[in-house]
Amino acid sequence: MYESRIAADRLTVTAVEGFPPEIDALAARNLAGHSFLRAAWYAAPAPSEGRTLLLRREADGAVLAAIPTIPFGPAMARARKVPGSYWPLRSPLIAPDCTVVELAHALDRRLDHGAARSLGPVWRVGPARTDVPATTLLIAAAQLAGWSVLARPAGTSWVIDLAAARTRGWPSAASARKLRAAWRKLESLGTPHWRHVRGRDWNSAVLEDLGRIEAQSWIGQTTDGSGAKFMTPAQRALWRHALSDPVLAQNLSATILMLDDRPIAFSFDLDDGPVQYGIAGSYADDLKHLGIGKLANYRAVEDAIADGQSVMDLGVGDTGYKRMMGAVAGYDMTDLLFVRSGPAAALLAKAWGPALPAPSPAALAITSEQAAHG
């Protein structure tokens, strides 16, 4: 463990092994929202390889920032990254009252403390939203602390306005007719029905059922399976670790379409207050002509509307079916690389992306104001 105190600002910077409980406390008041960014969320990809930088204010002991990391890339490079269970939601935790200057102190390797050095010579954050104060604050603080910040586009997330869908009626009359027709076709083969899994209902058997659907899908039939979420024991172990946290088990849900006793399609989602994130979905390839994937997707949206949620975030990629469901381009994502050495940053920029310009004094003032007021 590394620890230092910055007397002028009465701050303590600490780097501890693992994913400490302070993460869960800060997740509940995270500047970016996302209260699901808990220790188990970060730890799931590599439970035994974590290290977390913590920034505290000595006066009240409040944690102002937490940056969990795990190794990234070749071991000899000593690079690290902020981990997470789901690719587009990997970012540090920052308290709403953390200022850009305070966070810069924590990240400044030029100061006499080893905590910032625990991040390694290179560390990655992302993909992260480009349009939120937390990302702006992190970039500005790192640049003040002497890091070069390289950025590359990571796609655009597509969202459905559930409030508007609720007002106009979901699904549309035409879509409803098609869904009923698909259901009748399934009824000619057996008894279709829905399973809804959340909270205490999660267990290994459910994860295996999701993996069986993926194995029978196009991803299991035509790819190496690396893009699946549940198909292999290692993939299921990641989610099993995340689901060991009762809070995350309640946030995460599966909508599973069954045909008799056979699971044939699913939608795997994450609730984050008014937003529901569509993490994954799949369906058995031999029944795809019956529209079972569409049935699962539309059922997940229907349930989110019934639950009173405002936005369905379907993530990046595969815009065809998303547009058909009424999704529109929502916000851009960026993949960030923080590099301590200027020459190294220049080399990495050729493969990763250009360094972001340093923020102006006016931008820094705005960033501090955003952090102070959330």
Side-chain angles (χ1 to χ4, degrees):
M1 181 178 81
Y2 301 96
E3 179 174 311
S4 72
R5 286 179 171 80
I6 304 169
D9 294 291
R10 298 189 299 276
L11 301 174
T12 301
V13 186
T14 308
V16 299
E17 296 301 313
F19 304 91
E22 288 88 346
I23 290 175
D24 289 352
L26 187 52
R29 60 188 192 95
N30 183 21
L31 175 60
H34 302 333
S35 61
F36 60 86
L37 290 178
R38 295 168 59 83
W41 180 269
Y42 290 115
S48 63
E49 300 183 70
R51 183 186 302 152
T52 302
L53 186 148
L54 296 173
L55 171 65
R56 297 178 187 272
R57 186 183 292 124
E58 285 192 0
D60 55 8
V63 179
L64 296 176
I67 306 179
T69 60
I70 62 173
F72 167 49
M76 63 181 297
R78 296 184 295 113
R80 301 187 70 81
K81 67 177 180 180
V82 175
S85 300
Y86 175 45
W87 185 78
L89 294 171
R90 296 174 180 168
S91 58
L93 294 165
I94 302 173
D97 57 338
C98 180
T99 69
V100 66
V101 173
E102 288 172 327
L103 187 55
H105 272 305
L107 297 176
D108 198 337
R109 291 181 60 180
R110 297 167 296 193
L111 297 176
D112 187 22
H113 66 75
R117 287 193 292 273
S118 70
L119 293 170
V122 178
W123 51 290
R124 177 187 181 185
V125 172
R129 289 185 65 153
T130 60
D131 64 339
V132 293
T135 302
T136 305
L137 178 66
L138 178 66
I139 292 170
Q143 290 175 325
L144 281 179
W147 298 84
S148 296
V149 184
L150 311 183
R152 64 184 181 189
T156 299
S157 193
W158 287 74
V159 300
I160 299 174
D161 184 339
L162 297 181
R166 185 180 297 110
T167 298
R168 65 175 178 264
W170 177 274
S172 68
S175 293
R177 285 194 298 272
K178 293 177 181 178
L179 294 171
R180 287 194 297 269
W183 193 263
R184 287 194 296 271
K185 290 177 182 177
L186 279 177
E187 288 180 319
S188 69
L189 300 177
T191 303
H193 58 101
W194 295 104
R195 287 171 60 194
H196 297 280
V197 179
R198 185 189 294 273
R200 295 181 178 180
D201 295 332
W202 283 110
N203 55 48
S204 295
V206 173
L207 296 178
E208 289 168 3
D209 280 347
L210 301 183
R212 274 192 282 272
I213 295 171
E214 287 185 326
Q216 298 169 42
S217 74
W218 69 271
I219 200 168
Q221 301 293 322
T222 63
T223 77
D224 62 2
S226 59
K229 294 291 187 294
F230 306 100
M231 203 164 70
T232 69
Q235 290 167 340
R236 293 192 293 274
L238 183 153
W239 290 108
R240 190 178 296 110
H241 187 98
L243 290 163
S244 67
D245 180 338
V247 174
L248 293 181
Q250 190 62 34
N251 291 147
L252 291 162
S253 65
T255 302
I256 307 173
L257 177 58
M258 305 288 296
L259 183 60
D260 295 327
D261 294 328
R262 178 190 175 188
I264 58 173
F266 74 83
S267 178
F268 179 60
D269 303 288
L270 169 70
D271 288 349
D272 185 25
V275 181
Q276 180 162 303
Y277 291 93
I279 292 182
S282 197
Y283 51 85
D285 197 61
D286 63 308
L287 297 175
K288 68 178 181 180
H289 62 287
L290 299 178
I292 56 176
K294 186 174 183 178
L295 282 168
N297 289 335
Y298 274 71
R299 180 59 182 246
V301 174
E302 184 179 350
D303 290 344
I305 291 172
D307 289 342
Q309 292 180 291
S310 301
V311 176
M312 171 72 85
D313 189 325
L314 297 175
V316 302
D318 195 7
T319 60
Y321 85 93
K322 295 173 184 177
R323 289 177 188 269
M324 291 179 61
M325 292 176 67
V328 298
Y331 54 88
D332 292 331
M333 306 286 285
T334 185
D335 209 349
L336 302 171
L337 203 64
F338 297 77
V339 186
R340 180 64 186 92
S341 163
L347 287 174
L348 288 169
K350 297 177 180 178
W352 191 272
L356 296 174
S360 66
L364 290 176
I366 293 172
T367 300
S368 293
E369 186 72 13
Q370 287 173 322
H373 297 285

